[in-house]
Amino acid sequence: MPSSSALTPRRELWLLLTLAGIQFTHILDFMIMMPLGPKFTQLFSISDAQFGLLVSAYTLSAGASGLLASTYIDRFGRKRLLLVLYVLFGLATLACGVAPTYGTLMAARILAGAFGGVLSALSQTIVADVVPFERRGRAMGIVMTSFSVSTVAGVPLGLILAEHGGWNAPFIAIAAMVGVLAVQAARTMPAMTAHVHAAHGRTALGGIAQVLADPNHRWAFLFSALVMSTGFTVIPYITIYMQTNAGVRADQIPLAYLCGGVATLFTARYFGRLTDRWGKVRTFRVLALASMPCLLGTALSEGLPLWGVLVVSTFMFAFVSGRMIPGMAIITSAAQPSLRGTFMTLNASVQSAAMGAASFVGGLLISRDAQGLVQNYWVAALVGIAAAALSMLVVGKLQLHGAAPAAR
């Protein structure tokens, strides 16, 4: 059941922009870790696999917290729960910025993941509750421009802060942004409490059992895991590969994120409209197919000039992130409306576990030779491509609630 009565177009747009801002800080908090990989491996004297574990700890923690959140998410108003989790996320991010050792940083990343992972699921649930199916692709496109803005502005600015103010400066800046956005969300978001009455009388474990009993939900979880696995065997190690193998200097790394972010800033809105016009499934398959050569090209960009590396990485960012727009519209539509909150938090756990596992597998597949060059990065890309191919098959199994057959 929807958690909010119909909003005016202006109010709906404002809600989507607020959620995009919240997603921006959550995504940036996760993304900023990856280009800082070389700094962390040097500062804490850790291996690439240990750095991969640092990335995975965030996502695996988000997965575990999603399981816990599935027992209570539909028992509280969306706004109230979002604000509480967001403030706790901001405090955990601040703890990352003041962590003195690898161990304490790991603990802080686990806490940030625990709150951040639920935030993502809750934001997507709110979009699906408020926006009807036929406009959901556009709505997801607006919210997911947060990825583009984080890569266009967030990651480059974060790297500049890290270069001049130390590696911890980006995390402190993100925590400050969380404080500002939390105040704004408290002032502008509707309460969204109708779903609380729909969940009355349903036990926590009973709601989970209902979600898992639906075969369509189980196919959706598999699809979601494959979608997330596609990119995360490759993405966490892009900066390490670019600096060691492709000869990109540390001060040139922000260019890769800037170019990729500028491209996705335009393509995200276009792919959102295309999702509603072409159909969710068709658009997903086209973008998933287009992402495959981009992943492999990124892993084989050694020897290219700087402009060539930037072209390949820009296409990779545009298409790998672009799949997520129809992908998330599909996943939210696969949920039974009355169980959507519980479904989406369980889905967040599935996604986080898939991201963490893919990052860890990628770290195990790559290695360093005697000169310190990354080896077998292309193998990690092939694993991601295999996941993309499987996702194109599995998506055909899904029933999308609220969709006419021709609108899938």
Side-chain angles (χ1 to χ4, degrees), residues 80-167:
R80 179 183 176 187
L81 185 58
L82 186 76
L83 289 173
V84 170
L85 291 172
Y86 195 43
V87 169
L88 292 173
F89 165 75
L91 292 173
T93 299
L94 181 62
C96 293
V98 298
T101 65
Y102 175 74
T104 52
L105 179 60
M106 177 72 77
R109 296 307 291 165
I110 290 171
L111 288 174
F115 302 123
V118 181
L119 274 177
S120 181
L122 191 52
S123 297
Q124 293 159 4
T125 301
I126 291 170
V127 172
D129 280 351
V130 172
V131 182
F133 179 86
E134 60 271 13
R135 290 189 285 107
R136 205 165 289 159
R138 173 184 170 273
M140 286 294 179
I142 292 173
V143 173
M144 292 189 67
T145 55
S146 55
F147 175 86
S148 308
V149 176
S150 67
T151 50
V152 168
V155 172
L157 287 174
L159 291 176
I160 291 170
L161 279 175
E163 195 68 28
H164 297 283
W167 66 267

Side-chain angles (χ1 to χ4, degrees), residues 160-193:
I160 291 170
L161 279 175
E163 195 68 28
H164 297 283
W167 66 267
N168 47 5
F171 297 103
I172 296 173
I174 292 170
M177 283 189 284
V178 168
V180 174
L181 283 168
V183 172
Q184 183 68 7
R187 294 176 56 191
T188 60
M189 289 185 68
M192 292 174 284
T193 58

